[in-house]
């Protein structure tokens, strides 16, 4: 196919549902354009209704902001250590450093690609033996696949360490019919442009404790004390979501389930059309796990094959991307403590994310698998 003539296929592009403009128009018509207003309140209520489980939600400017505030609410401060899944996006780890704390990276297990419970417990015991009991655990639902909820939270409960559940990629996923974003002491969501639904930029902090929501909103609005003048007794942040962006989110919530189903159908399509290739395999859902399949990923048999496929797709104007490079391999974190078993290193070397947007057409999917199959001919 001629690169000039071929349509660009993105990895995961925004997909509007059609009603977003009505909520945004309402914000303009009523002059609610500040980081508060009916859309913000409504968006939080929409998310709470979707997640159930008695959740309270604070809509914020980004998932990273939610992580930052979540760690702060859990008492993380300068000099603390926080256990963090190594195979993830850097936003899972960066807020730890914002607070003057130090990330300690935990490797993955092969069943879900998420935090390995065995390595987690080894790390906790070792850090305690060195007089550094970890202050929190950041566990991630990678690519929408839930982590080992029972095992991780049993360990956290045993050692009395709170869990910050990074559900940035997992809105619409569930474990044993309970929604991701409801398992941690605090959880976060992301509405970045590439996520399952988007507000262009935005996130949310989720908790079953109302006081966490109230404190998050207080901190997110510059920690303004209750006074007729501007009074501040602690440092705050400018992290609240605007009423305009929340309007986009309200429209997106109306199509969330359809977006999840479409992405799951993308995964099913790839599996049906590529499973005949012995050098490609897919991450299956363990019993009781339900993934939104935010990104459909494949494992190849070698780094060389992964790069051959990625390059072939790129030549045809199709975006693909290696799996997340583990945090323990990032230059900025090279001096951090890490507890490894080799799984995330191996996955990074061999894994590839395929285009997964809910707005992909059948012809796009056929074009993608055709390019991949041609690599093997």
């Amino acid at each position: 196919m001629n690169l000039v003539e071929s349509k660009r296929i993105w990895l995961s592009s925004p997909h509007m549902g059609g009603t977003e403009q009505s909520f945004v128009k309402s914000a303009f018509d009523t002059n609610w354009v500040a980081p508060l207003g009916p859309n913000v309140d409504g968006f939080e209520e929409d998310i709470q209704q979707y997640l159930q489980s008695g959740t309270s939600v604070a809509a914020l400017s980004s998932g990273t902001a939610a992580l930052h505030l979540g760690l702060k609410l859990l008492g993380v401060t300068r000099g603390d250590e926080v256990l963090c899944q190594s195979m993830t996006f850097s936003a899972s780890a960066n807020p730890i450093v914002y607070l003057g704390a130090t990330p300690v990276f935990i490797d993955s297990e092969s069943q879900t690609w998420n935090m390995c419970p065995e390595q987690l417990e080894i790390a906790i015991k070792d850090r305690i033996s060195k007089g550094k009991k970890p202050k929190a655990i950041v566990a991630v639902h990678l690519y929408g696949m839930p982590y080992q909820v029972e095992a991780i939270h049993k360990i956290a409960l045993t050692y009395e360490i709170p869990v910050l559940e990074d559900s940035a990629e997992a809105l619409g996923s569930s474990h044993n019919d309970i929604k991701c974003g409801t398992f941690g002491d605090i959880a976060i969501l992301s509405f970045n442009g590439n996520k399952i639904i988007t507000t262009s930029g935005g996130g949310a902090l989720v908790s079953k404790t109302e006081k966490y929501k109230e404190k998050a909103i207080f901190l997110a609005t510059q920690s303004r004390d209750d006074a007729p003048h501007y009074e501040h007794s602690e440092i705050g942040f400018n992290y609240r979501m605007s009423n305009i962006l929340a309007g986009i989110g309200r429209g997106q919530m109306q199509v969330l389930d359809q977006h999840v189903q479409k992405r799951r159908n993308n995964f099913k399509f790839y599996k049906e059309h590529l499973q005949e290739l012995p050098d490609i395999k897919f991450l299956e859902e363990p019993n009781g796990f339900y993934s939104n399949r935010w990104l459909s990923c494949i494992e190849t048999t070698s780094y060389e094959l992964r790069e051959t496929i990625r390059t072939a797709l790129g030549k045809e104007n199709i975006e693909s991307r290696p799996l997340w490079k583990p945090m323990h391999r990032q230059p900025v974190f090279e001096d951090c403590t890490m507890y490894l078993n080799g799984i995330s290193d191996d996955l990074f070397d061999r894994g590839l994310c395929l285009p997964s947007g809910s707005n992909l057409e059948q012809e796009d999917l056929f074009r993608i698998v055709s390019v991949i199959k041609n690599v093997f001919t």
Side-chain angles (χ1 to χ4, degrees):
M1 183 175 293
N2 189 304
L3 182 62
V4 176
E5 297 176 354
S6 60
K7 181 185 80 172
R8 176 68 165 168
I9 298 179
W10 299 98
L11 186 70
S12 180
S13 61
H15 185 194
M16 295 295 101
T19 63
E20 294 86 358
Q21 289 188 24
S22 64
F23 290 102
V24 173
K25 183 177 184 299
S26 175
F28 276 91
D29 289 345
T30 58
N31 203 34
W32 279 107
V33 295
L36 76 166
N39 282 337
V40 176
D41 296 339
F43 188 37
E44 291 172 343
E45 292 169 4
D46 292 343
I47 298 169
Q48 288 167 185
Q49 286 297 314
Y50 185 82
L51 294 177
Q52 295 294 310
S53 300
T55 53
S56 295
V57 174
L60 302 171
S61 58
S62 69
T64 308
L67 280 157
H68 187 189
L69 295 186
L71 290 168
K72 187 174 177 64
L73 290 171
L74 293 177
V76 174
T77 189
R78 185 169 301 279
D80 287 335
E81 290 187 348
V82 176
L83 303 171
C84 181
Q85 186 164 312
S86 184
M87 192 169 196
T88 184
F89 181 51
S90 62
S92 301
N94 287 340
I96 299 170
V97 182
Y98 298 168
L99 292 164
T102 302
V104 174
F105 293 113
I106 311 299
D107 216 328
S108 298
E109 41 79 13
S110 58
Q111 194 174 19
T112 70
W113 298 357
N114 292 308
M115 181 177 282
C116 174
E118 181 180 342
Q119 292 298 316
L120 174 64
E121 188 157 29
I122 289 172
I124 293 173
K125 288 180 177 179
D126 189 47
R127 302 323 293 164
I128 291 175
S129 73
K130 292 177 169 61
K132 292 289 292 184
K133 181 180 177 180
K135 200 62 176 284
I137 299 166
V138 178
V140 185
H141 303 296
L142 200 68
Y143 300 120
M145 180 66 74
Y147 58 72
Q148 301 279 0
V149 173
E150 286 95 344
I152 296 295
H153 287 271
K154 181 179 180 181
I155 293 168
L157 187 63
T158 297
Y159 295 95
E160 298 182 322
I161 302 173
V163 175
L164 199 164
E165 176 190 357
D166 185 343
S167 197
E169 302 171 4
L171 183 60
S173 299
S174 60
H175 180 261
N176 290 335
D177 296 322
I178 300 173
K179 298 288 188 184
C180 291
T182 66
F183 298 112
D185 296 85
I186 291 175
I188 71 97
L189 304 172
S190 173
F191 309 114
N192 190 35
N194 62 1
K195 293 302 188 292
I196 198 88
I197 63 169
T198 183
T199 57
S200 81
L205 183 144
V206 183
S207 176
K208 295 177 185 176
T209 305
E210 179 69 20
K211 68 176 183 179
Y212 278 151
K213 171 185 177 174
E214 294 172 355
K215 184 67 172 181
I217 293 173
F218 172 74
L219 291 169
T221 50
Q222 300 292 14
S223 297
R224 182 185 175 186
D225 294 336
D226 186 14
H229 55 275
Y230 285 95
E231 183 84 7
H232 307 274
S233 55
E234 60 182 298
I235 298 296
F237 309 89
N238 185 18
Y239 281 172
R240 199 69 162 117
M241 180 180 285
S242 84
N243 197 54
I244 294 172
L245 297 190
I248 299 174
R250 295 212 70 186
Q252 288 276 280
M253 284 299 295
Q254 295 180 353
V255 293
L256 171 57
D257 287 337
Q258 294 100 296
H259 283 195
V260 171
Q261 191 56 56
K262 185 62 168 65
R263 289 185 186 247
R264 286 179 61 84
N265 288 343
N266 291 340
F267 178 86
K268 182 179 178 182
F269 183 96
Y270 286 133
K271 185 178 175 183
E272 288 177 350
H273 289 82
L274 297 175
Q275 63 184 354
E276 65 194 57
L277 302 174
D279 292 335
I280 288 178
K281 71 175 185 176
F282 296 84
L283 180 67
E284 302 292 346
E285 292 168 321
N287 186 42
F289 288 65
Y290 181 88
S291 172
N292 65 13
R293 298 294 185 184
W294 172 58
L295 293 185
S296 292
C297 306
I298 57 173
E299 285 184 70
T300 66
T301 51
S302 68
Y303 168 83
E304 291 75 19
L305 178 56
R306 185 203 78 185
E307 283 299 282
T308 299
I309 295 172
R310 186 183 66 82
T311 302
L313 290 168
K315 288 179 179 178
E316 296 299 324
N317 212 14
I318 300 169
E319 183 183 20
S320 64
R321 192 170 297 169
L323 301 187
W324 296 123
K325 183 176 184 178
M327 292 300 100
H328 71 264
R329 289 177 62 171
Q330 299 289 349
V332 71
F333 294 124
E334 62 185 1
D335 294 328
C336 291
T337 302
M338 52 198 73
Y339 294 83
L340 309 178
N341 55 20
I343 289 177
S344 63
D345 284 330
D346 183 51
L347 287 170
F348 170 63
D349 288 341
R350 298 185 297 104
L352 188 68
C353 304
L354 301 179
S356 304
S358 52
N359 52 2
L360 288 176
E361 303 290 343
Q362 280 279 302
E363 62 185 33
D364 299 326
L365 293 167
F366 275 113
R367 185 174 141 206
I368 294 161
V369 299
S370 176
V371 172
I372 296 173
K373 288 181 176 180
N374 285 341
V375 168
F376 295 88
T377 59

